[in-house]
Amino acid sequence: MAGRPVDAARSLTAALDEIDRAGAAPSRERLELRCKTLITLALTEFMLSGVEAASARLAEAEEVVDDLGDDRLRARLDYQRANIHGRVGDLASAWDGIEGAVRRLDAFTEPEQCSVHLSRGMLAFELLRPQEALESFAEAARLAHALGGPAQEFMARHNEGYAAYLLGDIPRSLAGMARAEELESDVFTGPARLDRAQVLLEAGLVKEAVEALHAGLESLEGDGHDQMRAEFELALARAHRLLGHLDLAAGAAASARETYGRIGATAWAAKAMLVELLVDLDRQRRTRRTRQAQEDGTPESDLVRRVVGVGDATVALAAAATADELTEIATELGDPELADSARVVAAQALLLAGDAAGANTRLLSLERVSTGSLSDELDAAVVTAMTLVATGDLAPARRILVRASRRLAAGQQGSASLDLRTARAVHGARLSELDLELAVPRGSSSVLEALERWRSATDRLPSLGRPDDEQLAQLTEQLRAVRGHLRGESDPAQLRELHDHASRLERQIRDRDWALSRSGGSAQTVPVRVREAREHLRQVDRDLVWFFRHQGRIGAVGVIGGRAMMRDLVAADRAAELAQRIRVDLRTAATHHLGPLAGAVWSSLRASATELDDVLLRPWRSSRGLVVVTCPELSALPWALLPSMSGRPFTVALSLTSFARRGAPRPGAPAPPDGPGAPGVHVSVGPSVPRASSEGRTIVGTWGARARLAEPSRRDELVGALARPGVVHVAAHGTHQLESPLFSSLMLHDGPVFAHELQPTGVRADHVVLSACEVGLASARPGHESLGLALSLLSLGARSVVAAVSPVPDDVAATTMTRHHELLASGLPSDEALARAVAETEDVAAAFLNIGGQHRP
């Protein structure tokens, strides 16, 4: 029947007609057959016509069961009733039914017993009974393994993965689902596809979840999949809302709600309605942010208005009333999780209507059910904090934000996957914005603490020591081969086919990476407080400027000469426009054959750089070297082109404490020796870089006996060098993958080395120099996180990285980098060595940045 309910209904109805036409008084055997047919038909009619049609068939079957007094048939009736009530969200009735089936388990065959335990496990999780759920899944897995049935084993393994998701263990969940997918079984995969998409959504991999959901919808061919289609659409609505695509979210939620209403799935219709309400509230917040300040003619002095917003009272109160009705429906259905979700939505609506007391009442009535969902927990936290602000309780609001940042950090523990760690930050975006809003009126120190709090929640070294995996290695080798064919192919049709093949392999590799991400042990980090980090700035004689977006403008907090201060600098749109103009002009200027255009390009570039310098840096009146922490509007900026930065040492850091942590001794590591025993210098070179060999030999000559040139250069040697303390230089072409940053790569003689390949061993190199191409670029992700090759090296443990954010001609790169090593070997710290090297060569060398920390040889 799976996947073909129309055919099943036709066959079952025909069978029922045949039984009824048999004539004479029905025998017990014929009554039993009729009852079983009605029970099965109830599910197909639910899928085709909704709960009322299904309930009518179940009522017919119950009459037969009562007449026969057959407990075995009653067990089957109870199980089907549980199945149908569970699908419409009537969890209390579903639990009664499943418990009735479990009490008469001997009425089922062993394969059927496995299904009963699987159903009980899923329902137990929905009702927040985790221990009972785990017991059921364990028994289902045992039975499936003993029976050797691939379909049953697939379901058991997959549901074990889903159970881990409901317990909040995302890596374990993805691993369990991956194990299930390795089994060859002829099962309807719609529910499994939906479950996996839900896990991706919770993991913060929102775009990937959208792709999976669309693929799942396309797989639902024919009639009879209304419930499943609606579930896919509801998940799509949630995903689009996270991405800020409100029109798409509203359309998907409305479509899901209409379908649920048509088939009588009351609880599910309520969930879809809640998403619609949230989208409407998001729209009101979006339109009021800048408008309110313009209307008041003031810098938004009313904190409550800035934090909560002011919506259309009529619309907001109507939304609150609808949410209250949904709370009552959820309570009647015995669904405390849905009831709490409705109360949170009602509170948000009342806040926008200006009724803080009403919002507080809704939050006080929360049952605080533990859903295992980090995103739900953080959503509730932001509404609670906003309500406290609206009622004037600022200190408790700040405490909630601090706890939420710790919860976000804890939710990322246990994963070695950079993909998962950076992605999950999306669920903390609203909280971090609220934290900053509360911090700005309290001054520079509070702003610095707030910015650090949320950056530190995600800027932690991941788990290391993940074992090598044969499947992942094979997939990566295939990708290397495909990339090699791409370089030599010119036929458009073949190129398209190879690109498609590479994309499929990348998806498989990411899936495997997520599944393996829980295998490693925990890496130790050096905890650094803001106060200690400020002291580190003083010790290394550096100032700090940390840029952030606030109320449509770029502001910054600085630590200048040890003193914290804050500045409002420039409109965010203007800063982003100037930064983009600089990036484009520098990329154009890197071409040596500009001819008569050269003057115009450099004139435009310098004008933009001067204007940006005037608004971003000169107000600080700092003459020391700088640590710069950027915001998305200013990312990948060639800072050395700004006039006040010419020849000035600077580091682009992930945060203040991140910069300080990279200057502290590694946990448990002895002090580095001087002389012959000092950490080594490894040089890798790549093909098709004309000056790579001479560049490598010059660098080896600079460092002497400590240095080694690997030529031809191979992947294993580079990965091994990066896993050891010391300096690593790579003179090879690289590629930044915009859509899949973990597949950014460096091209060596045996093929590309991908960023994701560095995760099992980690990176312990003190200073990594990437002298070619633009591998200093990073792709922004929802939640203000970024990922790319240089940032991957830092996240995996590198102390500092030199990389370019724009193409640099090979001769300029070679000259600049060999000079950088000369100055570094003379004892200068990495930021100063790079600043001098850039100042002594052509202006296009300003694309090179010292990122992460300051390496002192």
Side-chain angles (χ1 to χ4, degrees), residues 96-152:
D96 288 342
I98 202 71
E99 289 296 85
V102 170
R103 283 194 296 271
R104 306 176 184 90
L105 203 58
D106 59 354
F108 301 93
T109 64
E110 284 190 327
E112 289 171 337
Q113 289 176 22
C114 183
S115 296
V116 170
H117 282 296
L118 283 170
S119 298
R120 183 177 184 270
M122 294 309 302
L123 187 56
F125 266 114
E126 290 288 333
L127 287 166
L128 309 174
R129 299 170 182 254
Q131 189 56 44
E132 290 164 294
L134 290 174
E135 290 170 0
S136 292
F137 284 131
E139 182 62 15
R142 185 191 67 78
L143 286 168
H145 183 74
L147 292 166
Q152 292 282 350

Side-chain angles (χ1 to χ4, degrees), residues 450-462:
L451 292 169
E452 275 288 355
R453 184 158 35 248
W454 293 96
R455 185 61 58 86
S456 296
T458 53
D459 175 33
R460 296 169 183 264
L461 300 187

Side-chain angles (χ1 to χ4, degrees), residues 265-279:
T266 307
W268 284 99
K271 293 176 183 179
M273 174 62 79
L274 285 178
V275 176
E276 287 186 275
L277 294 176
L278 286 169
V279 170

Side-chain angles (χ1 to χ4, degrees), residues 557-721:
V557 60
V559 179
I560 311 298
R563 181 167 167 256
M565 57 189 71
M566 189 165 53
R567 298 276 188 273
D568 173 62
L569 299 173
V570 62
D573 290 347
R574 180 57 177 167
E577 178 188 349
L578 289 169
Q580 179 62 10
R581 192 181 299 169
I582 290 171
R583 295 184 201 105
V584 171
D585 285 345
L586 182 61
R587 182 176 289 271
T588 304
T591 303
H592 278 301
H593 309 293
L594 288 176
L597 292 175
V601 170
W602 278 105
S603 176
S604 171
L605 198 160
R606 291 192 173 103
S608 299
T610 298
E611 183 178 348
L612 208 53
D613 188 52
D614 288 342
V615 295
L616 295 182
L617 296 176
R618 293 196 181 277
W620 302 99
R621 303 181 184 277
S622 168
S623 58
R624 292 181 179 83
L626 272 185
V627 177
V628 178
V629 184
T630 67
C631 56
E633 290 79 3
L634 303 175
S635 65
L637 191 65
W639 291 91
L641 281 175
L642 276 59
S644 67
M645 296 291 277
S646 178
R648 183 180 186 179
F650 68 92
T651 297
V652 177
L654 302 178
S655 69
L656 171 56
T657 59
S658 170
F659 175 78
R661 187 170 69 241
R662 285 174 166 81
R666 295 184 188 275
D674 294 324
V681 177
H682 174 92
V683 181
S684 283
V685 296
S688 305
V689 181
R691 293 172 175 79
S693 294
S694 60
E695 179 182 334
R697 288 192 296 270
T698 301
I699 291 168
V700 169
T702 296
W703 289 99
R706 295 170 53 186
R708 175 182 177 273
L709 172 63
E711 189 178 20
S713 296
R714 304 195 178 280
R715 168 196 168 275
D716 290 346
E717 292 177 308
L718 177 57
V719 172

Side-chain angles (χ1 to χ4, degrees), residues 753-793:
V753 179
F754 300 105
H756 82 87
E757 293 185 89
L758 305 176
Q759 293 180 113
T761 56
V763 177
R764 291 181 60 83
D766 299 294
H767 189 54
V768 182
V769 180
L770 308 174
S771 75
C773 299
E774 50 188 337
V775 288
L777 289 173
S779 296
R781 311 188 77 167
H784 309 303
E785 287 296 310
S786 298
L787 200 57
L789 181 58
L791 289 184
S792 294
L793 290 168

Side-chain angles (χ1 to χ4, degrees), residues 826-846:
S826 73
L828 291 181
S830 59
D831 57 350
E832 188 171 347
L834 181 63
R836 289 197 189 182
V838 168
E840 293 172 11
T841 51
E842 295 187 29
D843 286 346
V844 289

Side-chain angles (χ1 to χ4, degrees), residues 461 522-526 667-668:
L461 300 187
S522 296
Q524 291 182 325
T525 61
V526 181

